Amino acid sequence: MKEYEEKLKQYIKENNIKAEQVIFEGDVKTSEKARIKTNSLIVKTIVFIDLNKSLEYGNGVIAIVPGESRVDKNKLRKISNSKVKIASSDEVLILTSYPAGGVPPFGFKARFYLDKSLKNKNEVYAGGGSIRTLIKTIIKEIIKANKAEIVNIIENLDNNLIEQFSNSLDDLKRGRFKKLK
């Protein structure tokens, strides 16, 4: 893991990126674990395969989204004009040269898409090259480093769920629920 951490550290230095690598005891490979350890906004770097291209370094389609969000694959397909599927751990390493669970939001060749909900955020934590590291940086540095296209790529709340919730609130207001004793 140290080789990946060092590679990212070198990239940050060579490209004058304002970012700090933070090393933790234990892994931070899920956004929930990372959020608990940092108590800050976590961004995920999700790696997709472009099925129209060969599986090789540089052909990845990368979605950068808030840690608690999910990528809407249909939106990503339209925006990237590609047939995409989420990459396996082995494919992540091939496409980015970083291991799954530690993929940074820059430092490798790919097509990058940053969700617009992150555009005005300031300090964030993101993958730091391995499952035990994160980088602390600002969104503007991520955009500068990877030339990301700022787009809407996260899933919206299911409209059916919103409608059901709204109907339940209406029923509650009208007294249609029995009171519990």
Side-chain angles (χ1 to χ4, degrees), residues 61 75-84 111 113:
V61 176
K75 288 179 184 178
L76 186 61
R77 281 182 187 110
K78 283 182 185 174
I79 289 165
S80 67
N81 198 26
S82 301
K83 186 176 178 185
V84 296
R111 287 182 289 155
Y113 299 93

Side-chain angles (χ1 to χ4, degrees), residues 8 15 19 44 80 131 158:
L8 181 60
N15 291 279
K44 298 188 289 193
S80 67
I131 62 170
D158 184 347

Side-chain angles (χ1 to χ4, degrees), residues 21-153:
Q21 209 169 30
V22 183
I23 301 172
F24 295 90
E25 286 187 31
D27 73 71
V28 287
K29 66 181 176 182
T30 65
S31 58
E32 182 60 21
K33 282 184 179 181
R35 188 191 57 74
I36 288 167
K37 291 198 181 211
T38 64
N39 199 25
S40 296
L41 178 63
I42 303 297
V43 296
K44 298 188 289 193
T45 304
I46 314 274
V47 181
F48 290 85
I49 299 169
D50 182 341
L51 297 173
N52 299 324
K53 295 187 176 188
S54 60
L55 178 63
E56 61 185 46
Y57 176 78
N59 283 346
V61 176
I62 310 302
I64 302 169
V65 299
E68 72 283 352
S69 298
R70 295 175 55 97
V71 175
D72 184 321
K73 289 183 206 109
N74 289 326
K75 288 179 184 178
L76 186 61
R77 281 182 187 110
K78 283 182 185 174
I79 289 165
S80 67
N81 198 26
S82 301
K83 186 176 178 185
V84 296
K85 81 170 188 99
I86 199 148
S88 70
S89 294
D90 290 339
E91 293 164 335
V92 167
L93 190 56
I94 292 167
L95 292 167
T96 69
S97 75
Y98 287 97
V103 178
F106 50 71
F108 56 95
K109 186 179 166 193
R111 287 182 289 155
F112 291 89
Y113 299 93
L114 181 113
D115 188 71
K116 69 179 186 177
S117 67
L118 293 170
K119 185 179 177 193
N120 296 320
K121 302 294 183 195
N122 201 11
E123 186 178 274
V124 297
Y125 284 81
S130 77
I131 62 170
R132 67 185 199 111
T133 59
L134 295 173
I135 56 163
K136 178 179 165 183
T137 190
I138 59 174
I139 291 294
K140 286 180 184 176
E141 288 295 306
I142 293 173
I143 296 167
K144 179 179 91 174
N146 67 19
K147 313 278 188 283
E149 192 174 326
I150 300 165
V151 293
N152 176 13
I153 52 171

